[in-house]
Structure formats: structure tokens, C-alpha cells
Amino acid sequence: MSYARTSHRTARRLTLVTAASAIAVLLTAGPASAHVEVEASKAQALAENVEISFDAESESDTAGVVKVRVVLPEGIAPADVTYGEGPKGWKFTAGDDGYTVGGPELKAGVNAEYSIVVKQLPDAKELTFKTLQTYSDDRVDRWIGLDEDGENPAPVLELKAAAPGAKPVSPSPSASESASASPTPEETEPSASPAVRAEEKDDDGMSTGAWIGIGAAVVVVAGGAVYLVRRRVGAQQ
């Protein structure tokens, strides 16, 4: 076997190793897998008195969850939501565009599990519940993304089609007022609220642009390694 052929094989191996390393860096540098899960026993459009359960997964090993703030999807007014069950000592507070549940700090690593009861689900295919999860050290996880494959996807409840003959019930006395005063779906972004913006200041998540920058840097490093290997082989021939 000639020296040149051996050198070419070595170069190919180094190229493959470099590419594999680059992919590994991208995978290990990805966002955390924790998120907020939502489910309901009667996940059907126009269903009445529906209990919806949430499981906000904990991402911290040192601080416990103390509060979960939710922006309700269009078609559900805060006045039509009541508290179901939750962590001991936690309370439910309705807001202009959603609600907050919170109380004594949970143990680090313990998920915040709770439920609400909705008077009637809207006639929709899915419901998105944008969520802010606050820890005792003021860290805030923002599960508000509309892309399920994004960094911080909001919990989404998929609904079956309404049952034959199902009709919207009369709204609660204050529900119509809340609906008219509620912002549009675009404006219900939690960051649009001054109080929520204050909560988000300590969020240590990385932006999409940061991940793109990391990916570009890895590609540049991989390309440089391949160039150096090929140059060395050429010089030795």
C-alpha cells in the first residue's frame, strides 16, 4: 500500500471524526427537554365543565417552583375558570388575561402539578396555554413558543370536533367584559405585560440567535480542520 493512499485514508477518517464531533456539540448544546404538559379527560370542542391538568416540569436542582402564570387561549375567559387541585398551600388568582397558581416553594426537582375546571371549551381545534414558571431563586422558564419543535414550546391541548348539537353556553356575567378587554392573541404574549417582563429579567435561557451562532462556529471549526488535514496530506505527497 502506497504512502499516498494511506495518507488519504487518514485524512478521510479525520474528516469523519471532525464532522461527528461537530454534530455532537450541536446536540449536547441544545435546549433543555423539560416542558409543561397539559391533558384533559374531555378534550372536545364545546365540552362543558372540563377539568384540565397541567404538569410543569422542574429544571432546577437547587430551587423549587413557587408560581405558575398562564395566559388563557382565545375563547376562555378567566371568569369561567375555577381551581381544581394543586400543591398543598397553593392558591389560584384570576387575572385580566389568565390566572396564576402559586404558594409555598416546592422541593427542588419536584414538578408543579395542578388542575383547573373550565366552564366550556371553545369551538377550536387546539388550545395554547402560554406559561411562565417561576422558581424560588427568581429564575423564570418561559413556555410561550408557538412552535412545538422550538426551544420553549407552550403547552397545547388538541381538541376533538364538537359533539353533534353542541352549542356555546351563555357566558358568565363578567366573562363578556373580560373577553372584550383581553388583548388579541398576538398581544397576549406574556412578555407584553409589565409584570411579566419583570419576571422574565432573570431568565437565563439562550435565544434562537445564540444557537444559530453556536452552529455556525462549529461548522467553521470543522471546515478548518478538514482544510488543514488536506493541506498536510498534499505537502507529504
Side-chain angles (χ1 to χ4, degrees), residues 9-83:
R9 288 187 176 181
T10 301
R12 283 198 298 268
R13 288 173 183 170
L14 290 176
T15 300
L16 291 175
V17 171
T18 302
S21 299
I23 294 174
V25 170
L26 286 176
L27 292 177
T28 56
S33 59
H35 55 282
V36 178
E37 297 180 355
V38 57
E39 61 180 10
S41 57
K42 294 189 295 183
Q44 185 174 23
L46 298 181
E48 299 179 38
N49 300 317
V50 179
E51 183 176 19
I52 303 178
S53 300
F54 295 86
D55 184 357
E57 298 184 11
S58 175
E59 279 192 306
S60 177
D61 295 328
T62 58
V65 181
V66 295
K67 181 172 61 175
V68 177
R69 157 125 157 79
V70 174
V71 173
L72 289 169
E74 184 177 6
I76 300 180
D80 287 333
V81 178
T82 56
Y83 194 32

Side-chain angles (χ1 to χ4, degrees), residues 11-182:
R12 283 198 298 268
R13 288 173 183 170
L14 290 176
T15 300
L16 291 175
V17 171
T18 302
S21 299
I23 294 174
V25 170
L26 286 176
L27 292 177
T28 56
S33 59
H35 55 282
V36 178
E37 297 180 355
V38 57
E39 61 180 10
S41 57
K42 294 189 295 183
Q44 185 174 23
L46 298 181
E48 299 179 38
N49 300 317
V50 179
E51 183 176 19
I52 303 178
S53 300
F54 295 86
D55 184 357
E57 298 184 11
S58 175
E59 279 192 306
S60 177
D61 295 328
T62 58
V65 181
V66 295
K67 181 172 61 175
V68 177
R69 157 125 157 79
V70 174
V71 173
L72 289 169
E74 184 177 6
I76 300 180
D80 287 333
V81 178
T82 56
Y83 194 32
E85 298 180 345
K88 185 177 181 180
W90 278 35
K91 296 182 179 180
F92 174 92
T93 304
D96 293 334
D97 59 357
Y99 64 85
T100 299
V101 291
E105 175 186 356
L106 302 181
K107 291 183 179 180
V110 174
N111 297 349
E113 301 181 25
Y114 72 93
S115 65
I116 60 173
V117 179
V118 179
K119 182 178 180 180
Q120 184 181 41
L121 299 182
D123 190 2
K125 293 183 179 180
E126 61 181 26
L127 302 175
T128 300
F129 298 86
K130 295 180 180 180
T131 302
L132 295 181
Q133 182 177 340
T134 304
Y135 296 80
S136 58
D137 59 359
D138 294 329
R139 165 181 171 169
V140 178
D141 289 342
R142 298 174 295 173
W143 306 109
I144 60 177
L146 300 181
D147 181 3
E148 293 184 1
D149 297 324
E151 294 182 28
N152 303 91
V156 176
L157 179 65
E158 296 184 357
L159 303 181
K160 297 179 181 178
K167 297 181 180 180
V169 298
S170 300
S172 300
S174 60
S176 58
E177 298 177 4
S178 299
S180 62
S182 297

